[in-house]
Amino acid sequence: MKVTFSKTAKQSLQLLILPLYKEDLASKSLPKSLKDLLKQSNFSAESAKVLSTFISDKSLPSQLLFVGAGSKKEFNGTLARELGGTAARHAMQLKKTEVAIEFSEDLAVYLEEFLEGFFLRQYELNSYKTTKQTSHKVNTLQLIIQKATKAHRDALKRAELLNQAAVLVRDLVNGPSNIINSEYLSKLASKIAKDNSFKKIILGKKELTKMKAGGILAVNQGSKSDPKLLVLQYDGGPKKEKPIVLVGKGVIFDTGGYNLKRSGAIEDMHQDMAGAATVLGVMSIIKQLGIKKNVIAITPVVENLINEEAYRPADVITMLSGNTVEITNTDAEGRMILADALHYASEIDPQSIISIATLTGASFVALGHRYCALLGNDDLMRADIQVASKETDELAWSLPIHPDYDKEMNSQIADFRNYDLGSGGGAGTAKAAAFLEKFVGNKKWCHLDIGGTAMTTRPRPYQVKGATAHGLRILLRYLENQQS
Ligand code: BES
Ligand code: ZN
Ligand code: ZN
């Protein structure tokens, strides 16, 4: 999309979008002819209400779209994102590809959030059809702001970058597992490293076997593809500052293994690398955003399949940490690979660790599509993540790890078990996190379970059905807020 700033809307464009506060309807800056028109049409600028109309003013595009922003005093960043999403949806429905949007000075304060919503809503599913589909995406966008400043230009740049990363994450999560496979993620990680001159380490089966990453190897046993541990290092902060480590679950496809998933639960499991995709999404723009922190991304990549080599229920696995784990359910595979990645992360001696994963279906049962689950061993860190979550409207809700849940992950024959077999005690999300906590050593750690939010069937005004990239903006905002 080509985006430019201007003072007046180019007449040759197909559509002029005018977001309006309720208060604007009485303002002097709105021409009387438009005021009359809005009055006649009973348009009161209620939030998310729109009015589309034609005008014969030779100096303006011939079609106008008014979008209600509600009342000025109730407006905020979240509503601005939704407003942008609503504007984008209507532009697409009207099949307008060349569009101008006029912002009042007050609304231009929320330019970044508005554009974020506008760009995010324009996402179209990557098509694998052989006949080309016509796209109704906006390809030319003029932003009409009377006094455009550097802040406005920065807002545009940031919204464009966030969108670019969100497109990357959503394409990866929506994409089929025979295409978005471990080789694909590994090449992508290499490309991100090359484009940004990051240090990278890519470990394959040989290296993982040598270092005894038993959790990663066990889960991948049933797959012909090479398991991977991808590590990217961005040195954006002061030399002596310890890094923040991001760890993302990369299960290319989760059949459940011998504890096979039923139909209805299995089809969407190409999404099971959403944590890895999110972490790679962060790394893909972190440098361009100018975030002044040292950040390391670690993603274990495997595929949970079945063949005669696959790991079985009741196997006992020796993990990278040296601990033994009894497999009580082969479908609780995410925690096995994250355990090794978290141990690897803790050995780097980081400032803190954040893991992100489509770890449990239970997080959807508890919180639906709106909130991901937030757990961890450090209250201050959790509070900071909660701030980032609220600011970006990627909501997260805290769940507790009770010491009893921790005990339920102990095994009779090994150090731990990966599933609380037979207890029927609920709290699946917290127990998965209790298992992870055993592998972070004494490091500060928080965990986002995006099992319910990585994909949605109930999109918000700036989302579309399918992958959401939920967590991407939380992580980026958290890192930005940590800059001193
Ligand atoms: N990848 C799933 C979790 C999941 C389910 C993510 C639905 C997104 C949507 C995970 O590996 C899994 O299978 N978890 C089990 C845990 C159980 C075996 C303890 C689950 O949620 O049922
Ligand atoms: Zn599973
Ligand atoms: Zn899984």
Side-chain angles (χ1 to χ4, degrees), residues 219-241:
V219 175
N220 199 66
Q221 262 168 225
S223 165
K224 326 197 271 265
S225 324
D226 218 24
K228 303 267 183 212
L229 188 70
L230 313 175
V231 184
L232 297 180
Q233 180 175 341
Y234 165 59
D235 302 320
K239 256 211 163 70
K240 287 210 176 102
E241 199 172 273

Side-chain angles (χ1 to χ4, degrees), residues 249 254 256 261 272 304 330-333:
K249 170 178 173 182
D254 181 12
K261 286 186 185 292
D272 216 18
N304 192 16
T330 57
D331 199 8
E333 84 298 339

